[in-house]
Coordinates of all heavy atoms in Angstrom, one line a residue:
D311 N 14.9 -1.1 -1.1 CA 13.9 -0.1 -0.7 C 13.7 -0.1 0.8 O 13.7 -1.1 1.4 CB 12.6 -0.4 -1.4 CG 12.6 -0.4 -2.9 OD1 13.4 0.5 -3.4 OD2 11.9 -1.1 -3.6
E312 N 13.6 1.2 1.3 CA 13.4 1.3 2.7 C 11.9 1.1 3.1 O 11.6 0.8 4.3 CB 13.8 2.7 3.2 CG 15.3 2.9 3.1 CD 15.7 4.3 3.6 OE1 15.4 4.6 4.8 OE2 16.3 5.0 2.8
V313 N 11.0 1.2 2.2 CA 9.6 1.1 2.4 C 9.1 -0.1 1.5 O 9.4 -0.1 0.3 CB 8.8 2.4 2.1 CG1 7.3 2.2 2.3 CG2 9.3 3.5 3.0
V314 N 8.3 -1.0 2.1 CA 7.8 -2.1 1.3 C 6.3 -2.2 1.4 O 5.7 -2.0 2.5 CB 8.4 -3.4 1.9 CG1 7.8 -4.6 1.2 CG2 9.9 -3.4 1.8
L315 N 5.6 -2.4 0.3 CA 4.2 -2.6 0.3 C 3.9 -4.1 0.2 O 4.4 -4.8 -0.6 CB 3.5 -1.9 -1.0 CG 2.0 -2.2 -1.1 CD1 1.2 -1.7 0.0 CD2 1.6 -1.5 -2.4
Q316 N 3.1 -4.6 1.2 CA 2.7 -6.0 1.2 C 1.3 -6.1 0.8 O 0.4 -5.4 1.4 CB 2.9 -6.6 2.6 CG 4.4 -6.6 3.0 CD 4.5 -7.2 4.4 OE1 3.8 -6.8 5.3 NE2 5.5 -8.0 4.6
V317 N 1.0 -7.0 -0.1 CA -0.4 -7.4 -0.5 C -0.4 -8.9 -0.5 O 0.6 -9.6 -0.7 CB -0.7 -6.8 -1.9 CG1 -0.8 -5.3 -1.9 CG2 0.2 -7.3 -3.0
P318 N -1.6 -9.4 -0.4 CA -1.8 -10.9 -0.4 C -1.2 -11.4 -1.7 O -1.4 -10.8 -2.8 CB -3.3 -11.1 -0.3 CG -3.8 -9.9 0.4 CD -2.9 -8.8 -0.2
T319 N -0.6 -12.6 -1.7 CA 0.0 -13.2 -2.9 C -1.0 -14.1 -3.6 O -0.7 -14.5 -4.7 CB 1.2 -14.0 -2.5 OG1 0.9 -15.0 -1.5 CG2 2.3 -13.1 -2.0
W320 N -2.1 -14.5 -3.0 CA -3.1 -15.3 -3.7 C -3.8 -14.5 -4.7 O -3.9 -13.3 -4.7 CB -4.0 -16.0 -2.7 CG -4.9 -15.0 -1.9 CD1 -6.0 -14.4 -2.3 CD2 -4.6 -14.6 -0.6 NE1 -6.5 -13.6 -1.3 CE2 -5.6 -13.7 -0.2 CE3 -3.6 -14.8 0.4 CZ2 -5.7 -13.0 1.0 CZ3 -3.6 -14.1 1.6 CH2 -4.7 -13.3 1.9
A321 N -4.5 -15.3 -5.6 CA -5.3 -14.6 -6.7 C -6.5 -13.9 -6.0 O -7.2 -14.4 -5.2 CB -5.8 -15.6 -7.7
L322 N -6.6 -12.6 -6.4 CA -7.8 -11.8 -5.9 C -8.9 -11.9 -6.9 O -8.8 -11.8 -8.1 CB -7.3 -10.4 -5.7 CG -6.2 -10.2 -4.7 CD1 -5.6 -8.8 -4.7 CD2 -6.7 -10.5 -3.3
L323 N -10.1 -12.0 -6.3 CA -11.3 -12.1 -7.1 C -12.2 -10.9 -6.8 O -12.2 -10.4 -5.8 CB -12.1 -13.4 -6.8 CG -11.3 -14.7 -6.9 CD1 -12.0 -15.9 -6.4 CD2 -10.9 -14.9 -8.4
E324 N -13.1 -10.7 -7.8 CA -14.1 -9.6 -7.6 C -14.9 -9.9 -6.4 O -15.2 -11.1 -6.1 CB -15.0 -9.5 -8.8 CG -14.5 -8.8 -10.0 CD -15.6 -8.6 -11.0 OE1 -15.8 -9.5 -11.8 OE2 -16.2 -7.5 -11.1
G325 N -15.1 -8.9 -5.5 CA -15.8 -9.1 -4.3 C -15.0 -9.4 -3.1 O -15.4 -9.3 -2.0
D326 N -13.7 -9.7 -3.3 CA -12.8 -9.9 -2.2 C -12.5 -8.6 -1.5 O -12.5 -7.6 -2.1 CB -11.4 -10.5 -2.7 CG -11.4 -12.0 -3.0 OD1 -12.5 -12.6 -2.7 OD2 -10.4 -12.5 -3.6
T327 N -12.3 -8.7 -0.2 CA -11.8 -7.6 0.6 C -10.3 -7.8 0.8 O -9.9 -8.9 1.2 CB -12.5 -7.4 1.9 OG1 -13.9 -7.3 1.6 CG2 -12.1 -6.2 2.7
V328 N -9.5 -6.8 0.7 CA -8.0 -7.0 0.9 C -7.5 -5.9 1.7 O -8.0 -4.7 1.8 CB -7.3 -7.0 -0.5 CG1 -7.4 -5.6 -1.2 CG2 -5.9 -7.4 -0.4
T329 N -6.4 -6.2 2.5 CA -5.7 -5.2 3.3 C -4.3 -5.0 2.8 O -3.6 -6.0 2.6 CB -5.7 -5.7 4.8 OG1 -7.0 -5.8 5.3 CG2 -4.9 -4.7 5.6
L330 N -4.0 -3.8 2.5 CA -2.6 -3.4 2.1 C -1.8 -3.1 3.3 O -2.4 -2.4 4.2 CB -2.7 -2.2 1.2 CG -3.6 -2.3 -0.1 CD1 -3.5 -1.0 -0.8 CD2 -3.1 -3.4 -1.0
R331 N -0.6 -3.4 3.3 CA 0.3 -3.1 4.5 C 1.5 -2.5 4.1 O 2.2 -3.0 3.2 CB 0.6 -4.4 5.3 CG 1.4 -4.2 6.5 CD 1.6 -5.5 7.3 NE 2.4 -5.3 8.5 CZ 3.2 -6.1 8.9 NH1 3.4 -7.3 8.3 NH2 3.9 -5.8 10.0
C332 N 1.9 -1.4 4.7 CA 3.1 -0.6 4.4 C 4.0 -0.8 5.5 O 3.6 -0.5 6.7 CB 2.8 0.8 4.1 SG 4.1 1.8 3.3
R333 N 5.3 -1.1 5.3 CA 6.2 -1.3 6.4 C 7.6 -0.9 6.0 O 7.9 -0.8 4.8 CB 6.2 -2.8 6.9 CG 6.8 -3.7 5.9 CD 6.9 -5.1 6.5 NE 7.5 -6.1 5.6 CZ 8.8 -6.2 5.5 NH1 9.6 -5.5 6.1 NH2 9.3 -7.1 4.6
G334 N 8.4 -0.6 7.0 CA 9.8 -0.3 6.8 C 10.6 -1.6 6.7 O 10.2 -2.6 7.2
R335 N 11.7 -1.5 6.0 CA 12.6 -2.7 5.8 C 13.2 -3.0 7.2 O 13.6 -2.1 7.9 CB 13.7 -2.3 4.8 CG 14.7 -3.3 4.6 CD 14.5 -4.5 3.7 NE 14.0 -4.0 2.4 CZ 13.4 -4.8 1.6 NH1 13.0 -6.1 2.0 NH2 13.0 -4.4 0.4
G336 N 13.2 -4.3 7.5 CA 13.8 -4.7 8.8 C 13.1 -4.2 10.0 O 11.9 -4.2 10.0
D337 N 13.8 -3.6 10.9 CA 13.2 -3.0 12.1 C 12.9 -1.5 12.0 O 12.7 -0.9 13.0 CB 14.1 -3.3 13.3 CG 14.2 -4.7 13.7 OD1 13.3 -5.5 13.4 OD2 15.3 -5.1 14.2
T338 N 13.0 -1.0 10.8 CA 12.8 0.5 10.6 C 11.4 0.8 10.9 O 10.5 0.2 10.3 CB 13.2 0.9 9.2 OG1 14.5 0.4 8.9 CG2 13.1 2.4 9.0
S339 N 11.1 1.8 11.7 CA 9.8 2.3 11.9 C 9.3 3.2 10.8 O 10.1 3.9 10.2 CB 9.7 3.0 13.3 OG 10.4 4.2 13.2
I340 N 8.0 3.2 10.6 CA 7.4 4.0 9.5 C 6.1 4.6 10.0 O 5.4 4.0 10.8 CB 7.1 3.2 8.2 CG1 6.6 4.0 7.1 CG2 6.2 2.0 8.5 CD1 6.6 3.3 5.8
T341 N 5.9 5.9 9.8 CA 4.8 6.6 10.2 C 4.2 7.4 9.1 O 4.8 7.5 8.0 CB 5.2 7.6 11.4 OG1 6.2 8.5 10.9 CG2 5.7 6.8 12.6
Q342 N 3.0 8.0 9.3 CA 2.3 8.9 8.4 C 2.3 8.2 7.0 O 3.0 8.6 6.0 CB 3.0 10.3 8.3 CG 2.9 11.0 9.6 CD 3.5 12.4 9.5 OE1 3.9 12.9 8.4 NE2 3.5 13.1 10.6
V343 N 1.5 7.2 6.8 CA 1.5 6.3 5.7 C 0.4 6.8 4.6 O -0.6 7.3 5.0 CB 1.2 4.9 6.0 CG1 1.1 4.0 4.8 CG2 2.3 4.4 6.9
W344 N 0.8 6.8 3.4 CA -0.1 7.1 2.3 C -0.1 5.9 1.3 O 0.9 5.2 1.1 CB 0.4 8.3 1.5 CG 0.4 9.6 2.2 CD1 -0.6 10.5 2.2 CD2 1.4 10.1 3.0 NE1 -0.2 11.6 3.0 CE2 1.0 11.4 3.5 CE3 2.7 9.6 3.4 CZ2 1.8 12.1 4.3 CZ3 3.5 10.4 4.2 CH2 3.0 11.6 4.7
F345 N -1.3 5.6 0.7 CA -1.4 4.5 -0.3 C -1.8 5.2 -1.6 O -2.6 6.1 -1.6 CB -2.4 3.5 0.2 CG -1.9 2.7 1.3 CD1 -2.2 3.1 2.7 CD2 -1.2 1.5 1.1 CE1 -1.7 2.3 3.7 CE2 -0.8 0.8 2.2 CZ -1.0 1.2 3.5
H346 N -1.3 4.6 -2.7 CA -1.6 5.1 -4.0 C -2.0 4.0 -5.0 O -1.4 2.9 -4.9 CB -0.4 5.9 -4.6 CG 0.0 7.1 -3.8 ND1 0.9 7.0 -2.8 CD2 -0.4 8.3 -3.9 CE1 1.0 8.2 -2.3 NE2 0.3 9.0 -2.9
H347 N -2.9 4.2 -5.8 CA -3.3 3.3 -6.9 C -3.3 4.0 -8.2 O -3.9 5.0 -8.4 CB -4.8 2.8 -6.7 CG -5.3 1.9 -7.8 ND1 -6.4 2.2 -8.4 CD2 -4.8 0.7 -8.3 CE1 -6.6 1.3 -9.3 NE2 -5.6 0.4 -9.3
E348 N -2.4 3.5 -9.1 CA -2.2 4.2 -10.4 C -1.9 5.7 -10.3 O -2.4 6.5 -11.1 CB -3.4 3.9 -11.3 CG -3.7 2.5 -11.7 CD -2.5 1.9 -12.5 OE1 -1.8 2.6 -13.2 OE2 -2.5 0.6 -12.5
G349 N -1.1 6.0 -9.3 CA -0.6 7.4 -9.1 C -1.6 8.3 -8.3 O -1.3 9.4 -8.1
K350 N -2.8 7.8 -8.0 CA -3.8 8.6 -7.3 C -3.8 8.1 -5.8 O -3.8 6.9 -5.5 CB -5.2 8.5 -7.9 CG -5.2 9.0 -9.3 CD -6.6 8.9 -9.9 CE -6.6 9.3 -11.3 NZ -7.8 9.1 -12.0
E351 N -3.9 9.1 -4.9 CA -3.9 8.8 -3.5 C -5.2 8.1 -3.1 O -6.3 8.5 -3.6 CB -3.7 10.0 -2.7 CG -3.6 9.7 -1.2 CD -3.0 10.9 -0.4 OE1 -2.6 11.9 -1.0 OE2 -3.1 10.8 0.9
L352 N -5.1 7.0 -2.4 CA -6.3 6.3 -1.9 C -6.8 6.9 -0.6 O -6.0 7.2 0.3 CB -6.0 4.8 -1.7 CG -5.7 4.0 -2.9 CD1 -5.3 2.6 -2.5 CD2 -6.9 3.9 -3.8
W353 N -8.1 6.9 -0.4 CA -8.7 7.3 0.8 C -9.6 6.2 1.3 O -10.3 5.5 0.5 CB -9.6 8.5 0.6 CG -8.8 9.7 0.2 CD1 -8.6 10.1 -1.1 CD2 -8.0 10.6 1.0 NE1 -7.8 11.2 -1.2 CE2 -7.5 11.5 0.1 CE3 -7.8 10.7 2.3 CZ2 -6.6 12.6 0.6 CZ3 -7.0 11.7 2.8 CH2 -6.4 12.7 1.9
G354 N -9.5 5.8 2.5 CA -10.2 4.7 3.1 C -9.9 4.5 4.5 O -9.5 5.4 5.2
S355 N -10.2 3.3 4.9 CA -10.0 2.9 6.3 C -8.6 2.6 6.6 O -8.1 1.5 6.4 CB -10.9 1.6 6.6 OG -10.7 1.2 7.9
L356 N -7.9 3.7 7.1 CA -6.4 3.6 7.4 C -6.3 3.3 8.9 O -6.8 4.1 9.7 CB -5.7 4.9 7.0 CG -4.2 4.9 7.2 CD1 -3.5 3.8 6.4 CD2 -3.7 6.3 6.8
K357 N -5.6 2.2 9.2 CA -5.3 1.9 10.6 C -3.8 1.7 10.8 O -3.3 0.6 10.4 CB -6.1 0.6 11.0 CG -5.9 0.2 12.4 CD -6.8 -1.0 12.8 CE -6.6 -1.4 14.2 NZ -7.3 -2.6 14.5
G358 N -3.2 2.7 11.3 CA -1.7 2.6 11.4 C -1.0 2.5 10.1 O -1.1 3.4 9.3
T359 N -0.4 1.3 9.8 CA 0.3 1.2 8.5 C -0.5 0.3 7.5 O 0.1 -0.2 6.6 CB 1.7 0.6 8.7 OG1 1.5 -0.7 9.4 CG2 2.5 1.5 9.6
E360 N -1.8 0.1 7.8 CA -2.6 -0.8 6.9 C -3.8 -0.1 6.4 O -4.3 0.8 7.1 CB -3.1 -2.0 7.7 CG -2.0 -2.9 8.2 CD -2.5 -4.1 9.0 OE1 -3.7 -4.2 9.3 OE2 -1.7 -5.0 9.2
M361 N -4.3 -0.5 5.2 CA -5.5 0.1 4.7 C -6.3 -1.0 4.1 O -5.8 -1.9 3.3 CB -5.2 1.1 3.5 CG -6.5 1.6 2.8 SD -6.2 2.8 1.6 CE -6.2 4.3 2.6
S362 N -7.6 -1.1 4.6 CA -8.5 -2.1 4.0 C -9.3 -1.5 2.9 O -9.8 -0.4 2.9 CB -9.5 -2.5 5.1 OG -8.8 -3.1 6.1
L363 N -9.3 -2.2 1.8 CA -10.0 -1.8 0.6 C -11.4 -2.5 0.6 O -11.5 -3.6 1.0 CB -9.3 -2.2 -0.7 CG -7.9 -1.7 -0.8 CD1 -7.2 -2.2 -2.1 CD2 -7.9 -0.1 -0.9
P364 N -12.4 -1.8 0.0 CA -13.7 -2.3 0.0 C -13.8 -3.5 -1.0 O -12.8 -3.7 -1.7 CB -14.6 -1.2 -0.5 CG -13.6 -0.2 -1.2 CD -12.3 -0.4 -0.5
P365 N -14.9 -4.2 -1.1 CA -14.9 -5.3 -2.0 C -14.4 -4.9 -3.4 O -14.7 -3.9 -3.9 CB -16.4 -5.7 -2.1 CG -16.9 -5.3 -0.7 CD -16.1 -4.0 -0.4
L366 N -13.5 -5.7 -3.9 CA -12.8 -5.4 -5.2 C -13.6 -5.6 -6.4 O -14.4 -6.5 -6.5 CB -11.5 -6.3 -5.3 CG -10.4 -6.1 -4.2 CD1 -9.4 -7.2 -4.4 CD2 -9.8 -4.7 -4.2
G367 N -13.4 -4.7 -7.4 CA -13.9 -4.8 -8.7 C -12.8 -4.9 -9.7 O -11.6 -4.7 -9.3
L368 N -13.1 -5.2 -10.9 CA -12.0 -5.3 -11.9 C -11.2 -4.1 -12.1 O -10.0 -4.1 -12.3 CB -12.6 -5.7 -13.3 CG -13.2 -7.1 -13.4 CD1 -13.8 -7.4 -14.7 CD2 -12.1 -8.2 -13.1
Q369 N -11.8 -2.9 -11.8 CA -11.2 -1.6 -11.9 C -10.1 -1.4 -10.8 O -9.3 -0.5 -10.9 CB -12.2 -0.5 -11.9 CG -12.8 -0.2 -10.5 CD -14.0 -1.1 -10.2 OE1 -14.3 -2.0 -10.9 NE2 -14.5 -0.9 -9.0
D370 N -10.1 -2.3 -9.8 CA -9.2 -2.1 -8.7 C -7.8 -2.8 -9.0 O -6.9 -2.6 -8.2 CB -9.7 -2.7 -7.4 CG -10.9 -1.9 -7.0 OD1 -10.8 -0.7 -6.9 OD2 -12.0 -2.5 -6.7
G371 N -7.7 -3.5 -10.1 CA -6.4 -4.0 -10.5 C -5.5 -2.9 -10.9 O -6.0 -1.8 -11.2
G372 N -4.2 -3.1 -10.9 CA -3.3 -2.1 -11.3 C -2.1 -2.0 -10.4 O -1.9 -2.9 -9.5
R373 N -1.4 -0.9 -10.5 CA -0.2 -0.7 -9.7 C -0.4 0.1 -8.4 O -1.1 1.1 -8.5 CB 0.9 0.0 -10.6 CG 1.4 -0.9 -11.7 CD 2.1 -0.1 -12.8 NE 3.0 0.9 -12.3 CZ 4.4 0.6 -12.3 NH1 4.9 -0.5 -12.6 NH2 5.2 1.6 -11.8
Y374 N 0.0 -0.5 -7.3 CA -0.1 0.1 -6.0 C 1.2 0.5 -5.4 O 2.2 -0.3 -5.7 CB -0.9 -0.8 -5.0 CG -2.3 -1.0 -5.3 CD1 -2.8 -1.8 -6.3 CD2 -3.3 -0.2 -4.6 CE1 -4.1 -1.9 -6.6 CE2 -4.6 -0.4 -4.8 CZ -5.1 -1.2 -5.8 OH -6.4 -1.4 -6.1
R375 N 1.3 1.5 -4.7 CA 2.5 1.9 -3.9 C 2.1 2.4 -2.6 O 0.9 2.9 -2.4 CB 3.2 3.1 -4.7 CG 3.9 2.8 -5.9 CD 4.6 4.0 -6.5 NE 5.2 3.8 -7.8 CZ 6.4 3.4 -8.0 NH1 7.2 3.1 -7.0 NH2 6.8 3.2 -9.2
C376 N 3.0 2.5 -1.7 CA 2.8 3.2 -0.4 C 4.0 4.1 -0.1 O 5.0 3.9 -0.7 CB 2.5 2.2 0.7 SG 3.9 1.3 1.3
A377 N 3.8 5.0 0.7 CA 4.8 5.9 1.1 C 4.6 6.3 2.6 O 3.6 6.2 3.1 CB 4.8 7.2 0.2
G378 N 5.8 6.6 3.2 CA 5.7 7.0 4.6 C 7.0 7.6 5.1 O 8.0 7.6 4.4
K379 N 6.9 8.2 6.2 CA 8.1 8.8 6.9 C 8.8 7.7 7.6 O 8.3 6.9 8.3 CB 7.7 9.9 7.8 CG 7.0 11.0 7.1 CD 7.0 12.3 7.9 CE 6.5 13.4 7.1 NZ 6.8 14.7 7.6
V380 N 10.1 7.6 7.2 CA 10.9 6.5 7.8 C 11.9 7.1 8.9 O 12.7 7.9 8.6 CB 11.8 5.9 6.7 CG1 12.7 4.8 7.2 CG2 10.9 5.3 5.6
G381 N 11.7 6.5 10.1 CA 12.6 7.0 11.2 C 12.5 8.5 11.3 O 11.5 9.1 11.3
F382 N 13.7 9.1 11.4 CA 13.8 10.6 11.5 C 14.1 11.2 10.2 O 14.4 12.4 10.1 CB 14.8 10.9 12.6 CG 14.5 10.5 14.0 CD1 15.1 9.4 14.5 CD2 13.4 11.1 14.7 CE1 14.8 8.9 15.8 CE2 13.1 10.7 15.9 CZ 13.8 9.6 16.5
W383 N 14.1 10.5 9.1 CA 14.5 11.0 7.8 C 13.4 12.0 7.4 O 12.3 11.7 7.4 CB 14.5 9.8 6.8 CG 15.2 10.1 5.5 CD1 14.5 10.5 4.4 CD2 16.5 10.1 5.2 NE1 15.4 10.8 3.4 CE2 16.7 10.5 3.9 CE3 17.7 9.8 5.9 CZ2 17.9 10.6 3.3 CZ3 18.9 9.9 5.3 CH2 19.0 10.2 4.0
P384 N 13.9 13.2 6.9 CA 12.9 14.2 6.4 C 12.3 13.7 5.1 O 12.8 13.0 4.3 CB 13.8 15.4 6.2 CG 15.1 14.9 6.0 CD 15.3 13.6 6.8
G385 N 11.1 14.1 4.9 CA 10.3 13.7 3.7 C 9.8 12.3 3.8 O 10.0 11.6 4.8
R386 N 9.2 11.9 2.8 CA 8.7 10.5 2.8 C 9.4 9.7 1.7 O 9.8 10.2 0.7 CB 7.2 10.5 2.6 CG 6.6 11.1 1.4 CD 5.1 11.1 1.4 NE 4.5 11.7 0.2 CZ 3.3 11.7 0.0 NH1 2.4 11.3 0.8 NH2 2.8 12.3 -1.1
K387 N 9.4 8.4 2.0 CA 10.0 7.4 1.1 C 8.9 6.6 0.5 O 7.9 6.3 1.1 CB 11.0 6.5 1.8 CG 12.1 7.2 2.5 CD 13.2 7.6 1.5 CE 14.4 8.2 2.3 NZ 15.4 8.5 1.4
E388 N 9.1 6.2 -0.8 CA 8.1 5.4 -1.5 C 8.5 4.0 -1.7 O 9.7 3.7 -2.0 CB 7.8 6.1 -2.9 CG 6.4 6.1 -3.3 CD 6.2 6.9 -4.5 OE1 6.7 6.5 -5.6 OE2 5.6 8.0 -4.4
S389 N 7.5 3.1 -1.7 CA 7.8 1.7 -2.0 C 7.9 1.5 -3.5 O 7.5 2.4 -4.3 CB 6.7 0.8 -1.5 OG 5.5 1.0 -2.2
A390 N 8.4 0.3 -3.9 CA 8.3 -0.1 -5.3 C 6.8 -0.4 -5.6 O 6.1 -0.7 -4.7 CB 9.2 -1.3 -5.5
A391 N 6.5 -0.3 -6.9 CA 5.1 -0.6 -7.3 C 4.9 -2.1 -7.2 O 5.7 -2.9 -7.5 CB 4.9 -0.1 -8.7
V392 N 3.6 -2.4 -6.8 CA 3.2 -3.8 -6.8 C 2.0 -3.9 -7.7 O 1.0 -3.1 -7.5 CB 2.8 -4.3 -5.3 CG1 2.3 -5.7 -5.3 CG2 4.0 -4.2 -4.4
T393 N 2.0 -4.8 -8.6 CA 0.9 -5.0 -9.5 C -0.1 -6.0 -8.9 O 0.3 -7.1 -8.6 CB 1.3 -5.5 -10.9 OG1 2.2 -4.5 -11.5 CG2 0.1 -5.7 -11.9
V394 N -1.4 -5.5 -8.8 CA -2.4 -6.4 -8.3 C -3.4 -6.7 -9.5 O -3.8 -5.8 -10.2 CB -3.2 -5.6 -7.2 CG1 -4.5 -6.3 -6.8 CG2 -2.3 -5.4 -6.0
T395 N -3.7 -8.0 -9.6 CA -4.6 -8.5 -10.6 C -5.9 -9.0 -10.0 O -5.8 -9.8 -9.0 CB -4.0 -9.6 -11.5 OG1 -2.8 -9.1 -12.0 CG2 -4.9 -10.0 -12.6
V396 N -7.0 -8.5 -10.4 CA -8.3 -8.9 -9.9 C -9.0 -9.7 -11.0 O -9.2 -9.2 -12.1 CB -9.2 -7.7 -9.5 CG1 -10.5 -8.2 -9.0 CG2 -8.5 -6.9 -8.4
H397 N -9.4 -10.9 -10.7 CA -10.1 -11.8 -11.7 C -11.6 -11.8 -11.5 O -12.1 -11.7 -10.4 CB -9.6 -13.2 -11.6 CG -8.1 -13.4 -11.8 ND1 -7.5 -13.4 -13.0 CD2 -7.1 -13.4 -10.9 CE1 -6.2 -13.5 -12.9 NE2 -5.9 -13.5 -11.6

């Protein structure tokens, strides 16, 4: 995949705050980033290629993806889905 979504690997608990990070593979630059949870676009505190989520609830578990423009490639590329579990 040209676009990778990074989430913390430790167990996430209700009330935790988490930052999602979208990046290009290797040294590839990525711009205009979007984040999705269960197919719906997320809106929140977007800073460059990162998005901070508010304190997590059980409903925040599920599949996340990010997408962004890679280099000069037209259109946007999507990451593989990452499953997040909230305990």
Side-chain angles (χ1 to χ4, degrees):
D311 294 329
E312 292 183 60
V313 176
V314 177
L315 174 61
Q316 294 179 316
V317 295
T319 56
W320 61 83
L322 297 171
L323 303 173
E324 279 188 279
D326 283 350
T327 300
V328 67
T329 298
L330 306 176
R331 182 175 179 216
C332 194
R333 65 176 186 83
R335 173 88 50 204
D337 292 333
T338 306
S339 65
I340 186 171
T341 58
Q342 297 183 5
V343 175
W344 295 266
F345 290 91
H346 299 88
H347 174 237
E348 296 295 340
K350 296 179 182 174
E351 189 166 346
L352 291 174
W353 297 95
S355 177
L356 182 62
K357 182 178 180 184
T359 59
E360 296 182 349
M361 174 177 272
S362 296
L363 299 179
L366 297 173
L368 292 176
Q369 73 279 2
D370 295 311
R373 292 164 46 98
Y374 286 81
R375 291 182 186 267
C376 70
K379 294 198 175 199
V380 178
F382 296 106
W383 194 265
R386 57 184 183 176
K387 301 282 185 177
E388 219 174 68
S389 72
V392 175
T393 301
V394 172
T395 302
V396 179
H397 299 281

